[in-house]
Amino acid sequence: DAGITQSPRHKVTETGTPVTLRCHQTENHRYMYWYRQDPGHGLRLIHYSYGVKDTDKGEVSDGYSVSRSKTEDFLLTLESATSSQTSVYFCAISESKFGLADEQYFGPGTRLTVT
Amino acid sequence: GESVGLHLPTLSVQEGDNSIINCAYSNSASDYFIWYKQESGKGPQFIIDIRSNMDKRQGQRVTVLLNKTVKHLSLQIAATQPGDSAVYFCAENIDGNKLVFGAGTILRVKS
């Protein structure tokens, strides 16, 4: 998985609790992304980062926040988890040489269940 | 390659035959396209990409064709093998370095 790890790999939590998912890369790539995957919806972008402390919203950012204090780590936080946030979450990284769009490499995923 | 609700389109092929998976993309300004393969329980795996200044690109056993006139992308897999069974996603780059993914196509290879 191109030097990308995600933790935890599985989590069950209760509605209303905060949850933080971690993505760690060893590739020193500039761009990092968080996606969620739900049946029939492919992958949808939640937030992404284009450098340390530089982040922006994606298509489905409501209810999520992110932080990137180091090149290698990108955190996704659900401030107050809801059942609609039950999903599989994937982190991806991209080098984006010369500012051009580039292939994204994905981590193994985190399965989150909100009860 | 279009999806309807929760039911992904499925392509069933015989082992050894060629497979063609299609994708219609949304934005005529998209300049970069990728095909991914996803096996059950795993993250998407990069297969091949193509930029908008090309109409064909070949890899090992795979070819991607891009038709910008009708906004259509296809993935051809030669001599399909059981290990090719997976869900295949196309993705387009519409803005900066953000990808938009299709809902996917299931490829089933019959032995």
Side-chain angles (χ1 to χ4, degrees), chain B residues 2-100:
Chain B
E2 300 293 335
S3 67
V4 179
L6 298 177
H7 303 289
L8 296 181
T10 300
L11 176 65
S12 294
V13 299
Q14 198 68 36
E15 181 179 359
D17 287 351
N18 296 334
S19 302
I20 300 176
I21 301 172
N22 296 303
C23 178
Y25 63 91
S26 61
N27 194 321
S28 57
S30 296
D31 60 358
Y32 178 65
F33 305 86
I34 306 180
W35 280 101
Y36 285 92
K37 172 187 179 184
Q38 187 176 27
E39 297 172 288
S40 181
K42 297 184 178 180
Q45 176 187 358
F46 172 85
I47 302 173
I48 192 168
D49 59 359
I50 188 167
R51 299 200 184 272
S52 58
N53 60 353
M54 304 173 69
D55 52 22
K56 180 179 180 179
R57 190 161 189 229
Q58 289 184 289
Q60 186 176 13
R61 275 201 314 120
V62 294
T63 300
V64 55
L65 298 178
L66 175 62
N67 185 330
K68 295 181 285 293
T69 302
V70 295
K71 294 190 287 185
H72 184 268
L73 194 67
S74 68
L75 176 71
Q76 300 177 358
I77 304 173
T80 312
Q81 302 168 1
D84 294 326
S85 293
V87 180
Y88 288 79
F89 295 97
C90 64
E92 60 181 305
N93 180 71
I94 60 170
D95 177 23
N97 286 289
K98 294 185 288 186
L99 296 177
V100 173

Side-chain angles (χ1 to χ4, degrees), chain A residues 2-68:
Chain A
I4 309 169
T5 56
Q6 292 184 231
S7 58
R9 294 293 314 279
H10 301 272
K11 186 169 182 66
V12 180
T13 192
E14 292 184 349
T15 298
T17 60
V19 177
T20 295
L21 308 183
R22 179 181 183 239
C23 177
H24 179 79
Q25 62 148 329
T26 58
E27 306 295 325
N28 200 37
H29 283 0
R30 179 183 174 193
Y31 283 78
M32 298 185 76
Y33 307 82
W34 276 108
Y35 292 88
R36 61 178 289 173
Q37 185 173 36
D38 305 290
H41 286 282
L43 290 109
R44 292 181 292 174
L45 181 65
I46 305 171
H47 282 280
Y48 70 104
S49 169
Y50 47 97
V52 173
K53 297 185 179 175
D54 292 322
T55 64
D56 204 351
K57 296 179 180 180
E59 178 187 0
V60 290
S61 59
D62 288 348
Y64 301 95
S65 62
V66 290
S67 66
R68 191 169 178 200

